[in-house]
Amino acid sequence: QKEVEQNSGPLSVPEGAIASLNCTYSDRGSQSFFWYRQYSGKSPELIMFIYSNGDKEDGRFTAQLNKASQYVSLLIRDSQPSDSATYLCAVNIGYGQNFVFGPGTRLSVLP
Amino acid sequence: DVKVTQSSRYLVKRTGEKVFLECVQDMDHENMFWYRQDPGLGLRLIYFSYDVKMKEKGDIPEGYSVSREKKERFSLILESASTNQTSMYLCASSAQDTLLGEKLFFGSGTQLSVL
């Protein structure tokens, strides 16, 4: 059984702080990694993806991947109340379009 | 602009009814997916399709079937709805995969309640 795990939260951070969201996966053959943001009552939207070990930055978001540790994280700098949402980690295990999603971490940014 | 449209936002059905959930995408994507999302369980893949008339079972296909007669349309069918199929259903599409996969575009979801 391929698994993706995340802390369900809620993770609460003050406005302006760095929010750190973590994800671990069980399949060493996993090839690509995605972070989706889902506002309450809305559908998920892609915010970051990463394929290679290391960091990838896009604006206030940084994705970090460590394949040896089977660990991927999302950092949100200068967190804003509008970042309050559930963040879903998704892993593509490398053949076809077989994505496995984690249960999501609920983030609350406090003004 | 990318668009995946699901026919209904909310749906209430009775146990034993046949239920059709429709999804249409306008991006000419090859791949289409049906997920259900339940609290604490995340998104689970029901079925996906990588071409017209092609379908593959996902992780939880029992009690569901799908139809893809046209590239832009992917339908999810509940042959005989049961209360444990009450859930949020999300349709998604993506372009033909590269070796490393492609990002998913989601519809707005259908909240199905089976009474």
Side-chain angles (χ1 to χ4, degrees):
Chain A
Q1 179 75 8
K2 313 281 190 284
E3 290 185 347
V4 176
E5 295 184 348
Q6 299 178 252
N7 288 329
S8 60
L11 173 66
S12 296
V13 300
E15 184 174 357
I18 295 175
S20 177
L21 305 164
N22 304 317
C23 173
T24 59
Y25 58 94
S26 62
D27 188 348
R28 286 197 171 274
S30 300
Q31 298 281 325
S32 50
F33 307 85
F34 303 79
W35 284 99
Y36 287 82
R37 178 177 62 200
Q38 187 175 24
Y39 292 114
S40 180
K42 302 293 186 182
S43 56
E45 57 174 332
L46 182 71
I47 53 171
M48 288 288 288
F49 60 92
I50 186 166
Y51 299 150
S52 304
N53 275 330
D55 294 359
K56 179 182 178 183
E57 189 174 316
D58 183 1
R60 295 186 297 112
F61 298 100
T62 299
Q64 300 175 315
L65 175 61
N66 183 326
K67 289 187 177 180
S69 299
Q70 296 175 245
Y71 174 93
V72 58
S73 65
L74 179 70
L75 301 178
I76 306 174
R77 288 182 301 281
D78 188 25
S79 295
Q80 302 296 309
S82 58
D83 295 325
S84 297
T86 296
Y87 290 80
L88 305 173
C89 174
V91 175
N92 186 302
I93 60 175
Y95 48 87
Q97 288 281 306
N98 200 347
F99 296 90
V100 179
F101 282 82
T105 297
R106 190 155 55 93
L107 172 67
S108 179
V109 180
L110 307 173
Chain B
D1 200 15
V2 163
K3 203 153 188 180
V4 179
T5 303
Q6 293 183 230
S7 54
S8 304
R9 185 71 180 92
Y10 299 96
L11 211 51
V12 180
K13 296 293 181 180
R14 296 276 181 199
T15 302
E17 280 192 77
K18 191 169 187 175
V19 182
F20 293 87
L21 302 183
E22 304 286 344
C23 176
V24 177
Q25 52 97 0
D26 66 358
M27 296 165 285
D28 200 35
H29 281 167
E30 290 80 7
N31 305 310
M32 296 189 74
F33 307 79
W34 277 105
Y35 290 89
R36 64 179 281 179
Q37 186 174 30
D38 301 287
L41 297 177
L43 275 79
R44 293 180 291 167
L45 182 63
I46 304 171
Y47 268 97
F48 67 99
S49 168
Y50 52 87
D51 201 354
V52 175
K53 297 193 186 293
M54 306 300 288
K55 60 185 179 183
E56 295 284 343
K57 291 180 180 180
D59 298 319
I60 51 164
E62 298 79 17
Y64 303 95
S65 62
V66 290
S67 172
R68 192 162 182 204
E69 297 295 321
K70 294 184 178 182
K71 189 176 184 180
E72 67 271 17
R73 186 179 297 269
F74 192 34
S75 302
L76 180 69
I77 303 152
L78 286 66
E79 295 290 342
S80 178
S82 63
T83 55
N84 63 11
Q85 292 179 308
T86 292
S87 186
M88 171 66 79
Y89 289 88
L90 288 162
C91 174
S93 72
S94 72
Q96 190 65 51
D97 66 296
T98 65
L99 177 63
L100 295 173
E102 280 290 347
K103 57 186 178 182
L104 295 170
F105 294 90
F106 285 89
S108 56
T110 296
Q111 179 62 53
L112 172 66
S113 296
V114 182
L115 306 178

